[in-house]
Amino acid sequence: MKLHPPAFVESRAAVKGPPASDMGALIDATLASRYRWLRFPSALEARFLADTADSRLRTLLIAGTLVAFVMNLFLISDRAMLPDVFEQAVLWRTWVLTPVCLLGMWVMSRLPYPPLRELLAVSAGVLASMVHVYLAAISQSPHTAAYMTGLAMVILYNNVFVRCRFWLALPSTLAVLLAYLASLHWVEHHSLQMSISIGLVLFSTAQFTLYNLYTLEHEERHNYLMTLRQGLLKRELTHANEELERVSRYDGLTQVANRRHFDEFLAHLWERAQVTPGQPLSIIMVDVDHFKAYNDHYGHPAGDACLVKVAEAVQRCLRRPGDLVARYGGEEFIAVLNRAPLGQALAAAERVREAVEALGLPHEAPITHGQVTVSVGVATMVPADRQVSVERLISLADEALYQAKNRGRNRVWPDGEAPAPC
């Protein structure tokens, strides 16, 4: 994978990553690249910055509040080492830097772009180092050279406490080191020994903190990718389990419930209805008339298409919440109607019969009505009554279906008033 130097990216509101199906491969490729430049591919980088934006903002606001306070603590050092410019120190630290830091935090909390927040945070440290060098440059104190060791605190603030992104911490740290080099010309009372000693302290502080900052950010990015990958795997597993559960409970051809799901659903409804006196439960059994002849005449693919259309017609007519349609076996379908008395179940059964007839599917075998029809049997029980059972209810529906077929098919049994079509 080709690596690129860091760059600003879009805000969270504009982040649009790749599809979930491609994200796993992108994460794996990024992990393999080891991202030594601390930069992900653009889509993943945008997501990383967006996902970490809130925690980073909290860190930056806490750091900004602390630096506004610590900035004024430096007045103790100013008073002890640069007494002749103490008034200027109070002016710059208390009346310039502190308001600027507070204003910067206010602006930072409203910026939608995470990289700009980081830039504001490191700018505060660089500005503080500039003030530090300026105070030493205008002072006549013999301690001005030693005073420059305070620049190490600016480096520590940016790289350890704020933990700025490495590619912003690097130039800001170089700016502080350059400020020290400039002080060798502007600030008096520098000796070679003092300059070398302070320079080594600042350089070592910069080196160690930058190395630590790089390592921490690399670890943060690695942990983020691993967490993201784990989340994707978890979602994939959940989706696979849901799909497996759906496949295990629904008929693959008609997409209605299978017999296993129906049996469990009916047992659950029956158990609930047993504690409610007078609550009826109805079963509708539907059988496609002369389906074997249809298969023999038109072929199995046409037979499958016929079953799909019949299942759709049955479902259209039985849409009440709490009802369930299932494929009971072969060309036979079954439905349970919760809290439906016999009259209501017969009306629903007649709607199913008329809906299938209205499909107008040709059935040219001599023994048929010229088109696909269904026979429907209906049975109703009150589960709370004694001497009734689920098995007996299904058996009664099956007997009613037999009667419908035995009496010429394309009818509902028990015979009742035909309601309006569905």
Side-chain angles (χ1 to χ4, degrees), residues 366-391:
I367 56 176
T368 68
H369 294 85
Q371 64 185 55
V372 172
T373 59
V374 293
S375 299
V376 187
V378 180
T380 302
M381 280 185 174
V382 177
D385 294 347
R386 295 182 178 182
Q387 298 179 341
V388 296
S389 66
V390 170
E391 293 76 13

Short mmCIF file of all heavy atoms in Angstrom, two decimals, residues 366-391:
data_model
loop_
_atom_site.label_atom_id
_atom_site.label_comp_id
_atom_site.label_asym_id
_atom_site.label_seq_id
_atom_site.Cartn_x
_atom_site.Cartn_y
_atom_site.Cartn_z
N PRO A 366 -57.79 -32.14 -17.55
CA PRO A 366 -59.25 -32.36 -17.73
C PRO A 366 -60.03 -32.37 -16.43
O PRO A 366 -61.22 -32.03 -16.42
CB PRO A 366 -59.30 -33.72 -18.44
CG PRO A 366 -57.96 -33.88 -19.08
CD PRO A 366 -56.98 -33.20 -18.19
N ILE A 367 -59.41 -32.79 -15.33
CA ILE A 367 -60.16 -32.95 -14.09
C ILE A 367 -60.27 -31.65 -13.31
O ILE A 367 -60.81 -31.64 -12.20
CB ILE A 367 -59.49 -34.02 -13.20
CG1 ILE A 367 -58.02 -33.63 -12.94
CG2 ILE A 367 -59.57 -35.40 -13.82
CD1 ILE A 367 -57.32 -34.57 -11.99
N THR A 368 -59.79 -30.54 -13.83
CA THR A 368 -59.76 -29.29 -13.09
C THR A 368 -60.83 -28.33 -13.56
O THR A 368 -61.56 -28.60 -14.52
CB THR A 368 -58.38 -28.60 -13.24
OG1 THR A 368 -58.22 -28.17 -14.59
CG2 THR A 368 -57.26 -29.54 -12.86
N HIS A 369 -60.86 -27.16 -12.90
CA HIS A 369 -61.80 -26.10 -13.27
C HIS A 369 -61.25 -25.21 -14.39
O HIS A 369 -61.83 -24.17 -14.70
CB HIS A 369 -62.10 -25.23 -12.05
CG HIS A 369 -62.84 -25.96 -10.96
ND1 HIS A 369 -62.19 -26.72 -10.01
CD2 HIS A 369 -64.17 -26.06 -10.70
CE1 HIS A 369 -63.08 -27.23 -9.18
NE2 HIS A 369 -64.30 -26.85 -9.57
N GLY A 370 -60.10 -25.58 -14.97
CA GLY A 370 -59.50 -24.77 -16.04
C GLY A 370 -58.49 -23.77 -15.54
O GLY A 370 -57.80 -23.13 -16.32
N GLN A 371 -58.42 -23.59 -14.22
CA GLN A 371 -57.42 -22.70 -13.63
C GLN A 371 -57.10 -23.19 -12.22
O GLN A 371 -57.79 -24.05 -11.67
CB GLN A 371 -57.93 -21.26 -13.58
CG GLN A 371 -59.15 -21.06 -12.68
CD GLN A 371 -59.68 -19.64 -12.77
OE1 GLN A 371 -59.97 -19.16 -13.86
NE2 GLN A 371 -59.81 -19.00 -11.62
N VAL A 372 -56.02 -22.66 -11.70
CA VAL A 372 -55.58 -23.09 -10.37
C VAL A 372 -56.56 -22.61 -9.32
O VAL A 372 -56.96 -21.43 -9.30
CB VAL A 372 -54.16 -22.53 -10.05
CG1 VAL A 372 -53.79 -22.82 -8.59
CG2 VAL A 372 -53.14 -23.15 -10.99
N THR A 373 -57.01 -23.53 -8.47
CA THR A 373 -57.91 -23.21 -7.36
C THR A 373 -57.38 -23.88 -6.09
O THR A 373 -56.47 -24.71 -6.15
CB THR A 373 -59.34 -23.70 -7.64
OG1 THR A 373 -59.30 -25.12 -7.85
CG2 THR A 373 -59.94 -23.01 -8.85
N VAL A 374 -58.00 -23.53 -4.97
CA VAL A 374 -57.62 -24.14 -3.70
C VAL A 374 -58.86 -24.59 -2.95
O VAL A 374 -59.96 -24.03 -3.11
CB VAL A 374 -56.82 -23.16 -2.81
CG1 VAL A 374 -55.46 -22.86 -3.42
CG2 VAL A 374 -57.60 -21.89 -2.52
N SER A 375 -58.67 -25.62 -2.15
CA SER A 375 -59.68 -26.05 -1.19
C SER A 375 -59.21 -25.63 0.19
O SER A 375 -58.00 -25.70 0.50
CB SER A 375 -59.87 -27.57 -1.26
OG SER A 375 -60.30 -27.95 -2.54
N VAL A 376 -60.16 -25.20 1.03
CA VAL A 376 -59.79 -24.62 2.32
C VAL A 376 -60.62 -25.24 3.43
O VAL A 376 -61.86 -25.33 3.32
CB VAL A 376 -60.00 -23.08 2.33
CG1 VAL A 376 -59.44 -22.49 3.61
CG2 VAL A 376 -59.36 -22.43 1.10
N GLY A 377 -59.96 -25.70 4.49
CA GLY A 377 -60.63 -26.20 5.66
C GLY A 377 -60.38 -25.31 6.85
O GLY A 377 -59.27 -24.80 7.03
N VAL A 378 -61.41 -25.10 7.68
CA VAL A 378 -61.31 -24.18 8.81
C VAL A 378 -61.76 -24.90 10.08
O VAL A 378 -62.72 -25.68 10.06
CB VAL A 378 -62.19 -22.93 8.58
CG1 VAL A 378 -62.07 -21.96 9.77
CG2 VAL A 378 -61.80 -22.24 7.28
N ALA A 379 -61.05 -24.61 11.17
CA ALA A 379 -61.45 -25.13 12.48
C ALA A 379 -61.16 -24.08 13.53
O ALA A 379 -60.17 -23.33 13.42
CB ALA A 379 -60.73 -26.43 12.79
N THR A 380 -62.01 -24.05 14.55
CA THR A 380 -61.85 -23.06 15.63
C THR A 380 -62.05 -23.76 16.98
O THR A 380 -62.94 -24.61 17.12
CB THR A 380 -62.88 -21.92 15.49
OG1 THR A 380 -62.70 -21.29 14.23
CG2 THR A 380 -62.68 -20.88 16.60
N MET A 381 -61.21 -23.38 17.94
CA MET A 381 -61.35 -23.87 19.31
C MET A 381 -61.07 -22.74 20.29
O MET A 381 -60.40 -21.75 19.93
CB MET A 381 -60.37 -25.03 19.58
CG MET A 381 -60.82 -26.36 19.06
SD MET A 381 -59.68 -27.68 19.56
CE MET A 381 -60.56 -29.11 18.95
N VAL A 382 -61.55 -22.95 21.52
CA VAL A 382 -61.21 -22.04 22.61
C VAL A 382 -60.23 -22.79 23.52
O VAL A 382 -60.65 -23.72 24.23
CB VAL A 382 -62.46 -21.60 23.40
CG1 VAL A 382 -62.08 -20.72 24.57
CG2 VAL A 382 -63.44 -20.88 22.47
N PRO A 383 -58.95 -22.47 23.48
CA PRO A 383 -57.94 -23.24 24.23
C PRO A 383 -58.22 -23.34 25.72
O PRO A 383 -57.78 -24.30 26.37
CB PRO A 383 -56.65 -22.46 23.96
CG PRO A 383 -56.88 -21.83 22.63
CD PRO A 383 -58.33 -21.45 22.64
N ALA A 384 -58.94 -22.36 26.30
CA ALA A 384 -59.20 -22.41 27.74
C ALA A 384 -60.23 -23.48 28.10
O ALA A 384 -60.37 -23.85 29.28
CB ALA A 384 -59.67 -21.04 28.24
N ASP A 385 -61.00 -23.99 27.10
CA ASP A 385 -61.97 -25.04 27.38
C ASP A 385 -61.26 -26.36 27.68
O ASP A 385 -60.12 -26.59 27.24
CB ASP A 385 -62.91 -25.24 26.18
CG ASP A 385 -63.78 -24.01 25.95
OD1 ASP A 385 -63.85 -23.15 26.85
OD2 ASP A 385 -64.40 -23.94 24.86
N ARG A 386 -61.95 -27.22 28.39
CA ARG A 386 -61.38 -28.52 28.70
C ARG A 386 -61.52 -29.47 27.51
O ARG A 386 -62.33 -29.26 26.61
CB ARG A 386 -62.08 -29.12 29.91
CG ARG A 386 -61.85 -28.33 31.20
CD ARG A 386 -62.53 -29.02 32.37
NE ARG A 386 -62.28 -28.28 33.62
CZ ARG A 386 -62.73 -28.68 34.81
NH1 ARG A 386 -63.47 -29.77 34.91
NH2 ARG A 386 -62.45 -27.95 35.89
N GLN A 387 -60.70 -30.50 27.52
CA GLN A 387 -60.74 -31.57 26.51
C GLN A 387 -60.51 -31.04 25.09
O GLN A 387 -61.11 -31.53 24.13
CB GLN A 387 -62.07 -32.33 26.60
CG GLN A 387 -62.29 -33.02 27.93
CD GLN A 387 -63.62 -33.75 27.99
OE1 GLN A 387 -64.52 -33.47 27.20
NE2 GLN A 387 -63.74 -34.70 28.91
N VAL A 388 -59.69 -30.01 24.97
CA VAL A 388 -59.26 -29.53 23.64
C VAL A 388 -57.73 -29.54 23.63
O VAL A 388 -57.07 -29.52 24.67
CB VAL A 388 -59.78 -28.11 23.34
CG1 VAL A 388 -61.29 -28.11 23.27
CG2 VAL A 388 -59.28 -27.12 24.37
N SER A 389 -57.17 -29.56 22.43
CA SER A 389 -55.71 -29.58 22.30
C SER A 389 -55.31 -29.02 20.94
O SER A 389 -56.14 -28.93 20.02
CB SER A 389 -55.17 -31.00 22.45
OG SER A 389 -55.60 -31.81 21.37
N VAL A 390 -54.03 -28.67 20.83
CA VAL A 390 -53.50 -28.19 19.55
C VAL A 390 -53.67 -29.27 18.49
O VAL A 390 -54.07 -28.99 17.34
CB VAL A 390 -52.02 -27.78 19.71
CG1 VAL A 390 -51.40 -27.51 18.34
CG2 VAL A 390 -51.88 -26.57 20.60
N GLU A 391 -53.36 -30.50 18.86
CA GLU A 391 -53.43 -31.60 17.90
C GLU A 391 -54.86 -31.77 17.38
O GLU A 391 -55.08 -32.02 16.18
CB GLU A 391 -52.94 -32.90 18.53
CG GLU A 391 -51.46 -32.92 18.88
CD GLU A 391 -51.13 -32.13 20.13
OE1 GLU A 391 -52.08 -31.75 20.88
OE2 GLU A 391 -49.94 -31.87 20.37
#
